[in-house]
Amino acid sequence: MRYLWLCFVFFVAIQLNVLAAPASLKKLNTTTFNHSYLQDTTKRKALGEEDSLRQDSLSRIKIKTIYNKLSANTEKETENLSMFPAVSLQQYLKGNYAGLYIQEPSGEPGSMQNMFIRGTAMPLLNKKDLYAAQPLVVLDGIPLIMEHPFAYDIQQYDFNRIGPATNLLAGIDMNNIASVEVLKDLAGTVAYGPRGVNGVIVLTSKSPGNVRRISFNSYIGMVQKPTVNTINGKYENEFRQRFYDIYTTNGRYSDDEEYPVYLSDSLNNVYSGKSNWTDLYYRNALIYGINLGLSGGTDRANFRFSLGNTKSEGVADQTGLDRYSAMFNINMRPVKWLLFSAMINANRINRDRNRSLRDRFAQLNYFPDLSAPLAPNKDYYASYLSEYDKGFDDNKTNAIQGYAKLVGTFGKLKLSSAFNVDYNEGYRDIFYAKGLLQGNSYASNFYGFNQRLMMDNKASYNYKLNEDHDFNFTLGQSMIWDIYKYNNAYAYKGANDYIKINLLDSDPIRDGQLNPDYLTPKAFPRELTYRFLDKTEDNLLTFSGKVDYAFQNKYFLSATLRLDGSSNAQPTSRWFYSPVLSAAWNIKNEFLKDNKSIDDVILRASVGRMGRTHVYDNYAQGPQYTASVGYTGNLTVPGYNAFGVLTRSYAFGWVGYGVPWAYTDQVNVGADVSMLKNRLRLSLDVYSKTDKNQLIALPSYAEYGYKQAIESGLSVNNTGVDLTVSALVINKNKFSWNSALNFNHNQNQLKALPRGLDQIVIGNRLLKVGEAVDQYWLLENEGIYTADAQIPVVNGQPLKYNGTVLKAGDPRWKDQNGDNVIDEKDKVLKGNMMPGLSGGFDNAFKYGNWSLNTNLYFNLGRKLINQEMANRFDFVNREGNSEVNSVKEITFWEKRGDYSKYPLYNPWSTVIPYRVDQDLFLENASFLKLRSVAVGYELGNLLKRKNIKINKFFVYGSVNNVFTITPYTGQDPELVGYDGLDTGYGQPIPRTYTLGVKMEL
């Protein structure tokens, strides 16, 4: 960071002493477009259109103006977004765009976050579905590549993907971005094809300029540790004693019961003494960010270069993220008809991950003795951390994006060719000492990369028949090559804690002969060393044609036809045609030309179909062979007479022939209205999208050894409304007030299942045609049976749960079908994992040079399962077992939620009264959150009066994550994953305080 400060001082000196004052600038005269596509270039001094970079900008503006009338896109400049101390793109965008819903399951810096545009196209049954539902992010025309879920095939648990599991969108520095645009309907996303079928987020970087400028943006701040209520063994004893008082006579429920040793001695200070572990777990931590940009050049060649560093320390468990970034843009016009442009964006992310037991054991595929949890006493917890510190967990991610583009303009004909690349690689190196694993040390090394190469060629021709008729014809061809690969190895029982890597015999020749032990592990036993290597590829070839037509600036029509060929499609259905038609009507020019109060009224509509590529290349191959996963979670190759063989893919599932393309049919109708000299703006969209022929894993073919069959025929419909309203409420000489509200209402419905099924049970989920795909499948809880006499009896038979007679102390579960048996047939679909209404409300006040900005974020109509509370009450079934549900983190000694709202069932009952699949733990997770408050002052005007050459000097202070209003009794209604379960593992989203400066010279 200190080097960036030195660079800043150096550049300021050059700017103030060497550079001449900029020439006066002329504002671009256009009444139909309020911001340019190449932001800086078009705001410079007027240049000859025959021989300048501005010519290219003007042509883009023209196309962009027509495009805005046809598409349901939402675009924002990033000035206010960049004041939020975010480390990921998702955090910047949350609550700012109608139709874009973002989940933040954890406040841990650099952890994964989920995005959904206009709902989810499929039921989210696992992480593979979650990856397939994410929108496409495009940076300067580069469709960014994300992680591939194929790595989950070798994992027993999908809490985190193997490797660094760092959010790749944490590599976006908002100080380098000029605008963010969210494309939601096919009129906008058709340009990106099947990759953008879930919606597209378009990032446009700040462009080079003709006048030399220096920008400096920086903030420093603190994250505030939360206030928590800690408990100890004495409190836990008292909590459990209530159950013993009701359901036992001698303090033991049965002769086989063993009370936990760590709770049996009330005088044991390790567990029943001070509970002061929070001093070592939570902390007030430092955050800062700095970005330095330099741009300049002439009308024939210009550039922009920036450097940045962002550090965000987590509020819990010593987590943190450190990012270094650099970006370079250049435009050159060697001759008047040829434009060359290029960009490189590079990032290095170092991440300190959490030290939770669950994530560590999931990585290990090994569970030690869990009979004694971590102690709440600070001194004993410190001894555990000292064992952890004997090892390491290094996570590094490198990412680079870039493009090189040539644009040739020959009168009305324009030819362009671009080569895009996006490459990221991740490393994770782990060593856990013996003291953490009952004498077993562990070492692991991971390396993986994701690579996307793209060639994009376009030819466009603008033909203006007369003043009334304007045509634009575009032909396009593109090719995308994707490669995903990882190498992963781990080993157990190292020689000692001083050798922390798995050394290999590196000598291929020994005693003049080939070494039979070449590349054999030396520090860890060979039989306890496991290696994995996997690779998958995906290619997409596209041909497209588009016709745009405008008549008298009143009527607009656009038709696009794409032909996409995917290597992940089967040979019999390799290609897919995607037609999209969109139209717009400028009502202002038609009927309201003389109306002074109405500035613009546009009615638009789009309809079309777009293909959806399959995520796995396995689907393209039909029946196949593979290695199998053994009971330890390690890949094994079966053998026959000592010869290695492969087997059918029993675990992955049966894939047959005749698998078609999945696709989406979408209809969007919208209106854009501007009134009162553009002081009031409204954008309304009503949409319906149906995703058809999708693949789903059906439990099937068990008689042949298969776990499931991958079949097409899943169809899900999403309908909803997007609304954005912005108003300049007050506009006085010194005081102004801008207000903006955005929200999305969405509901989904399952339209069809494979084989014509009406419903299917997959795991703990029921998918039923006609119902929402994000509902929970639960028993309805109506209280408690306090006596055996209350148990219903029909024909002499008492009410049973799956064959077990209910007794006093058991829950009153509703017998939905009246058959005197409580089973899966009595479960009902209740609640929704996704919000019915979500959005944000922004207000910006300005008085003189002072400004005040606030941002509210809300979710309504969403429910979640408080699994953390269910685990707390179900202590009998979760005590001391060597499996993931029995893991107790240090946060076990933290009181969360309201215990008094739950009945005191008999926890020893074999019906498992505190099971999670009941509505007892279903809670309303709606919330309203004051996400940020920022106060700033513009010093630029004051400094200009003192003849200091500075265009902008804005200082500000902000408070973020200020408060949350919610009926939810758990930790935070935001800290929930895609499955709607609050497991308690999400780290708090902290309150932050920052001071910052934005400077432009």
Side-chain angles (χ1 to χ4, degrees), residues 176-191:
N176 293 329
I177 304 300
S179 67
V180 179
E181 189 174 18
V182 177
L183 310 181
K184 296 172 285 189
D185 70 335
L186 286 181
T189 63
V190 64

Side-chain angles (χ1 to χ4, degrees), residues 491-509:
Y492 304 93
K493 285 192 175 182
N496 53 58
D497 284 347
Y498 299 101
I499 302 177
K500 300 183 180 183
I501 58 175
N502 194 5
L503 299 175
L504 304 178
D505 191 330
S506 59
D507 188 2
I509 304 296

